[in-house]
């Protein structure tokens, strides 16, 4: 919860992304996956063996707590006691860092967001996952399975863990009527000029693209992470139009909370944890997924292709999404759990309702973060789409 502020701060540049998503010669005759690239031919583990006694975990802060940050927050030690797998946890601050560290071959599992998972698949750093070896996978929400950020051509490359939406939030005492559309942030004539707060990352272009899907259907945008030249230009121009409305771009949710509390901003993009915190400190704040939908994240536990501790890795995958542990992580981190049975294990019995944990309709409104690559993620093959390097260049230009 405390460290999601760095989630997208340093996504890997275009050169590594292009290298990762290139098709190897050995696979050149294979049909491309739905994501526009052919993964290396790697096999999932067929059967569990004897636990190897060690596990090297690469994780977002808050996902693999061992009591060192807070003695009361520790789900690593019980895992070690149950399995005999000694866990070494390496926290990372950005998806860029996670991808780089995975290439060293020193880690067995990683908690990857959608802006990193495809790169790990395409580069061969993560291998397919045999879900039959993860019994708790049966209880994962169906709407999180087989998605473009955790599977390729029907093959699972990871186990869903937690998810959430990037919400439209507003000060109820200063914004009336309650907004139902992102137009309150994107319309050039918004009455809240100078009081809009927006997310500080190139991936925010996807929010603009999502808005254009609803308001300019003639552009033909089907996936906000798959933008050809015309679509990309339209999204960039929309954010340039929005720029005078924005008082601040945030990457630290605590700073956004402060801006909303003191009135420097009255409407913006926020995570549910930000809304909860700000309301809890007395601000008149509400949030919702607007009519156009919203972007968001869905994190996946993946197994390193070079892992020397794969039985321990699979034991971890099953453990970390078990009902009780998945509940602990979701409460500490601030997100919806993946396991359908986790809600019954929550200390805060309102959390699952707050985060819409079992609401498939709500989840369907979310366009989950996915790394833009030249091969259009919407399946088009007659055009090239803009990759993340180009998104980054455009974002620098937008902010000025």
């Amino acid at each position: 919860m405390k460290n999601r502020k760095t989630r997208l701060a340093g996504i890997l540049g275009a050169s590594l992304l292009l290298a990762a998503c290139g098709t190897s010669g050995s696979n050149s005759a294979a049909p491309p996956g739905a994501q526009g690239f052919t993964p290396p031919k790697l096999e999932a583990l067929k059967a569990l063996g004897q636990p190897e006694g060690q596990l090297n975990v690469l994780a977002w802060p808050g996902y693999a707590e061992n009591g060192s940050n807070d003695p009361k927050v520790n789900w690593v030690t019980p895992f070690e006691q149950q399995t005999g797998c000694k866990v070494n946890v390496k926290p990372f601050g950005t998806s860029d860092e996670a991808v780089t560290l995975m290439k060293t071959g020193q880690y067995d599992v990683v908690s990857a967001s959608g802006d990193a998972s495809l790169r790990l698949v395409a580069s061969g750093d993560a291998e397919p996952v045999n879900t039959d070896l993860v019994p708790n996978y049966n209880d994962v929400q169906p709407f999180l399975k087989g998605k473009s950020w955790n599977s390729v051509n029907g093959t699972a490359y990871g186990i869903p863990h937690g998810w959430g939406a990037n919400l439209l939030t507003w000060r109820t005492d200063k914004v009336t009527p309650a907004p139902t559309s992102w137009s309150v942030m994107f319309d050039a004539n918004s009455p809240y000029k100078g009081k809009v707060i927006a997310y500080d990352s190139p991936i925010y272009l996807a929010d603009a693209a999502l808005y254009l899907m609803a308001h300019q259907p003639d552009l033909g945008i089907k996936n906000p992470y798959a933008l050809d030249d015309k679509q990309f230009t339209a999204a960039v121009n929309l954010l340039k139009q929005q720029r005078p409305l924005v008082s601040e771009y945030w990457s630290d949710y605590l700073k956004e909370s402060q801006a909303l509390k003191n009135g420097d901003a009255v409407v913006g993009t926020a995570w549910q944890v930000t809304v909860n915190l700000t309301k809890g400190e007395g601000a008149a704040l509400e949030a919702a997924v607007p009519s156009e939908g919203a972007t968001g994240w869905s994190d996946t536990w993946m197994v390193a292709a070079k892992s020397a501790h794969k039985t321990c890795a699979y034991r971890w995958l099953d453990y970390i999404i078990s009902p009780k542990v998945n509940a602990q992580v979701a409460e500490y981190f601030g997100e919806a759990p993946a396991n359908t049975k986790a809600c019954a294990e929550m200390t805060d019995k309102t959390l699952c309702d707050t985060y819409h944990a079992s609401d498939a309709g709500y989840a369907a409104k979310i366009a989950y973060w996915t790394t833009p690559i030249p091969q259009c993620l919407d399946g088009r093959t007659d055009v090239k789409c803009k990759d993340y390097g180009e998104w980054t260049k455009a974002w620098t230009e937008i902010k000025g």
Side-chain angles (χ1 to χ4, degrees), residues 292-355:
E292 301 91 352
T295 60
W297 74 88
S298 177
D299 291 342
T300 303
W301 281 102
M302 308 180 80
V303 176
K306 298 177 183 177
S307 169
H309 312 108
K310 289 186 179 176
T311 293
C312 281
Y314 271 81
R315 295 290 296 271
W316 174 263
L317 262 57
D318 192 50
Y319 172 82
I320 201 66
I321 63 158
S322 61
K324 183 177 180 180
V325 180
N326 200 204
Q328 288 178 296
V329 179
E331 285 194 89
Y332 182 73
F333 194 78
E335 64 183 358
N339 193 311
T340 58
K341 296 179 178 178
C343 293
E345 302 291 338
M346 295 288 179
T347 301
D348 177 2
K349 299 303 182 183
T350 68
L351 185 142
C352 281
D353 287 338
T354 299
Y355 287 83

Side-chain angles (χ1 to χ4, degrees), residues 382-398:
D382 57 334
V383 296
K384 278 194 173 183
C385 283
K386 298 292 188 177
D387 66 26
Y388 196 83
E390 292 173 289
W391 284 46
T392 301
K393 291 177 185 177
W395 184 242
T396 301
E397 183 182 326
I398 289 162

